[in-house]
Amino acid sequence: MKALKTLLAVCAFLPAMAIAAGGHVKLETAPIDNHDAASLQRGAQLFVNYCLNCHAASYMRYNRLMDLGLSEQQVKDNLMFASEKVGDQMRVAMSAKDAVTWFGAQPPDLSVIARSRGADWLYTYLRSFYRDESRPTGWNNIVFPNVGMPHVLWELQGQMALEPVKETEGEHHGSGHAEPKLVMALPGEMSVKDYDRAVADLVNYLVFQGEPARSNRVQIGIITLLFLGVMLVLAYALKKEFWKDVH
């Protein structure tokens, strides 16, 4: 009973935590397509190169990447840097103790981050880092203020700066709120359009990682419903035949 009360208390605080983490920033719609194999492959490459150094995905195995249209050898040659067997889980070598020492907290597992946060949140978050020398890492985020994670994709995006918020008429009367705005301070290796597309690919992969069997499950569900629909027609016709002489 005590455990149940604890669980209910945590669930009650989740909406407040989400609001605190998201602030007043309007989330942008993530332009993802789970049927785009090329996008998913690019996203997987970004994930293993930039995210898997600190964040594990312990509920995901490397061999599930073959669902993206890759061969086992392609997975081994291009996407496996921290394991020897293609059936291994996506873990990191960093221990929990070292993570706490270096970052102050252990980086969360990203296996189901897209299911818990949502694709739109991730897409907006990964595009909302800016330089902030007051933070230990030198980075901050308008979607997740005072986040402990550094901007690992900064070389691709460049360095963004937070533009001072100007007071609006609504704010003057205490009824409005101006959203923070980021401006490019130092360009990166990618253009803004290319970086947005790369982030979309990464988020696309994270959505896939949260439920790798989703496409198959949906396909099986559609086939099952079609089969039941045909069987309903046949069953009704059979019932009519059996009862045609009964008055």
Side-chain angles (χ1 to χ4, degrees):
M1 190 66 183
K2 184 178 179 181
L4 179 60
K5 290 181 178 179
T6 302
L7 178 61
L8 292 175
V10 172
C11 291
F13 278 105
L14 283 178
M17 291 171 63
I19 293 174
H24 296 279
V25 178
K26 182 179 179 181
L27 300 182
E28 297 189 38
T29 302
I32 62 173
D33 179 5
N34 287 143
H35 299 289
D36 188 343
S39 171
L40 290 168
Q41 291 173 13
R42 292 192 300 267
Q45 186 177 30
L46 285 170
F47 179 79
V48 299
N49 279 283
Y50 291 94
C51 305
L52 199 55
N53 298 312
C54 301
H55 295 275
S58 55
Y59 298 116
M60 181 73 174
R61 296 183 184 274
Y62 286 98
N63 56 9
R64 293 311 302 263
L65 296 176
M66 291 188 286
D67 295 346
L68 305 180
L70 300 171
S71 66
E72 181 175 331
Q73 194 59 45
Q74 287 176 319
V75 172
K76 289 181 178 180
D77 293 343
N78 302 294
L79 300 174
M80 290 181 62
F81 308 118
S83 185
E84 296 181 353
K85 298 179 181 179
V86 74
D88 288 344
Q89 295 169 301
M90 289 184 167
R91 297 186 180 276
V92 293
M94 180 174 57
S95 67
K97 182 179 179 180
D98 288 339
V100 173
T101 302
W102 297 334
F103 300 110
Q106 184 176 4
D109 189 292
L110 298 184
S111 300
V112 293
I113 189 66
R115 298 179 68 177
S116 62
R117 285 292 191 178
D120 294 347
W121 190 93
L122 290 173
Y123 180 69
T124 308
Y125 166 74
L126 291 171
R127 298 165 58 250
S128 299
F129 279 93
Y130 64 93
R131 292 295 294 171
D132 184 353
E133 298 301 334
S134 67
R135 299 295 301 157
T137 63
W139 296 96
N140 209 329
N141 193 290
I142 61 175
V143 175
F144 196 151
N146 299 326
V147 64
M149 172 182 162
H151 186 20
V152 296
L153 301 175
W154 74 270
E155 291 181 322
L156 303 181
Q157 183 187 23
Q159 297 185 26
M160 305 295 289
L162 185 64
E163 186 177 80
V165 178
K166 297 180 180 179
E167 184 176 316
T168 63
E169 182 179 351
E171 289 178 312
H172 182 71
H173 294 287
S175 59
H177 181 83
E179 291 189 3
K181 182 179 180 181
L182 299 179
V183 294
M184 181 67 70
L186 182 65
E189 297 175 4
M190 293 182 172
S191 66
V192 174
K193 183 177 180 181
D194 289 340
Y195 179 75
D196 289 349
R197 184 173 60 184
V199 170
D201 292 337
L202 177 56
V203 174
N204 200 19
Y205 169 75
L206 290 172
V207 171
F208 162 81
Q209 180 173 262
E211 194 176 0
R214 182 180 182 275
S215 296
N216 291 336
R217 176 176 57 79
V218 171
Q219 185 177 11
I220 292 173
I222 293 174
I223 294 175
T224 301
L225 290 175
L226 292 175
F227 172 77
L228 292 175
V230 173
M231 288 301 298
L232 176 63
V233 175
L234 295 177
Y236 181 76
L238 186 62
K239 176 259 182 188
K240 295 283 289 183
E241 181 64 26
F242 282 165
W243 290 84
K244 66 180 181 180
D245 296 328
V246 178
H247 300 287

